[in-house]
Amino acid sequence: MERVEAELFTGGGNDAVVRMPGRRFPGIVVQGDSLYILRGDVAEVAEACERGDLDEARESAGLLLANLDALLARYEAALGEHEIPRPY
C-alpha cells in the first residue's frame, strides 16, 4: 500500500470528488458498498431484459440513470466551485 495526498473538492462520504497526484482532473471515489449496489442496479436491468419484462427494465434503468445523473451533478458542481473545466 502506498500513502499519497489527494485534493478533496467535496465533503467525504460515499461519493467524494478528489484529485489524485499527477492527474489533471478530479474523479469520484465510490465506496465498495455503493459500487456493489450500483452493480446490483445494472444486474436488475439486465435480468429484466432477459425475461423480456421491458416495463421493469425501463423502470430500473430510469432509477439507475437518475442515480448516475445525481452523481454526475455532484461532480460537475464540485468542478464549477473550483473553476475546473469539465474533462468532456
Side-chain angles (χ1 to χ4, degrees):
M1 175 174 62
E2 178 183 358
R3 292 192 179 267
V4 298
E5 287 189 30
E7 295 173 89
L8 181 62
F9 293 91
T10 61
N14 288 338
D15 51 9
V17 178
V18 300
R19 181 165 44 201
M20 298 300 293
R23 300 299 303 201
R24 181 172 176 205
F25 294 102
I28 293 191
V29 175
V30 178
Q31 296 297 314
D33 58 336
S34 297
L35 179 61
Y36 184 78
I37 290 167
L38 182 60
R39 188 256 175 233
D41 292 344
V42 172
E44 283 182 24
V45 174
E47 290 164 6
C49 288
E50 285 179 15
R51 290 192 309 273
D53 189 345
L54 296 183
D55 289 335
E56 184 179 335
R58 189 176 299 110
E59 183 178 335
S60 295
L63 293 171
L64 176 59
L65 181 59
N67 290 336
L68 289 173
D69 283 344
L71 194 59
L72 185 59
R74 179 169 166 84
Y75 177 73
E76 290 176 346
L79 292 181
E81 287 174 21
H82 297 277
E83 300 179 354
I84 299 171
R86 294 178 188 173
Y88 46 86

